[in-house]
Amino acid sequence: MPEKVRLSVCGFDPMLVRGYVKTGFRALWFYLPDELWEDYKVEIGDHIKGTILAVYNPKEEKTHAPNEAFEWIASKETGYAILIPADAITKYELTEFHFIELQLDQVLQKQGGGPGGRDQDEFEAVDIYPGETKQRKWWPDGKMKLSYSLPYAAP
């Protein structure tokens, strides 16, 4: 079974994100729960598979509930940070002021291939906490309303 998380999106100013989305540079990311990262030894180039359950804006309003599968890569610096790709940023109009609710189902651990998660890489799928559901990193209701935010800047 999975790990369910509700966490804040981390990243750059929306105007920078606007440019980074166009160039393919990393713009937004989130951090895995510490325990999951330690238990599964998520490394640079590994992937996380799961489901996007909800997106909340800085006013604590649910803006999307897509229930959509995703597969996102760990950053080039650490397996602790998972990069949010440009298509998800533009589809959900994400900024560093948003919160996302995810179900994390599998870690795809890199077994061989080229550097940094290229197409020719070989991965081993490892289920996250089989037989149980964990929910340890959960941003509480009532705490997602931010006093300061900047709007999404479309590319």
Side-chain angles (χ1 to χ4, degrees), residues 32-51:
L32 291 173
D34 295 340
E35 301 87 352
L36 187 149
W37 181 69
E38 292 167 2
D39 291 347
Y40 289 92
K41 311 280 189 266
V42 182
E43 297 288 335
I44 295 166
D46 288 352
H47 292 216
I48 296 289
K49 284 181 81 169
T51 307

Side-chain angles (χ1 to χ4, degrees), residues 63-123:
T63 58
H64 298 89
N67 202 28
E68 182 176 277
F70 71 86
E71 181 179 320
W72 296 341
I73 190 170
S75 75
K76 294 180 182 178
E77 294 76 26
T78 177
Y80 187 49
I82 305 302
L83 303 177
I84 301 173
D87 61 335
I89 293 170
T90 55
K91 183 175 187 176
Y92 304 116
E93 298 185 349
L94 294 175
T95 68
E96 63 178 325
F97 303 101
H98 280 79
F99 298 86
I100 52 176
E101 200 170 297
L102 306 171
Q103 177 176 297
L104 308 176
D105 296 317
Q106 288 185 323
V107 176
L108 301 178
Q109 295 176 329
K110 188 174 172 185
Q111 301 298 309
R118 304 230 170 125
D119 291 338
Q120 72 272 20
D121 288 344
E122 299 168 13
F123 294 93

Side-chain angles (χ1 to χ4, degrees), residues 20-33:
Y20 291 162
V21 163
K22 288 181 180 179
T23 63
F25 188 74
R26 67 166 189 254
L28 299 175
W29 59 89
F30 67 88
Y31 292 103
L32 291 173

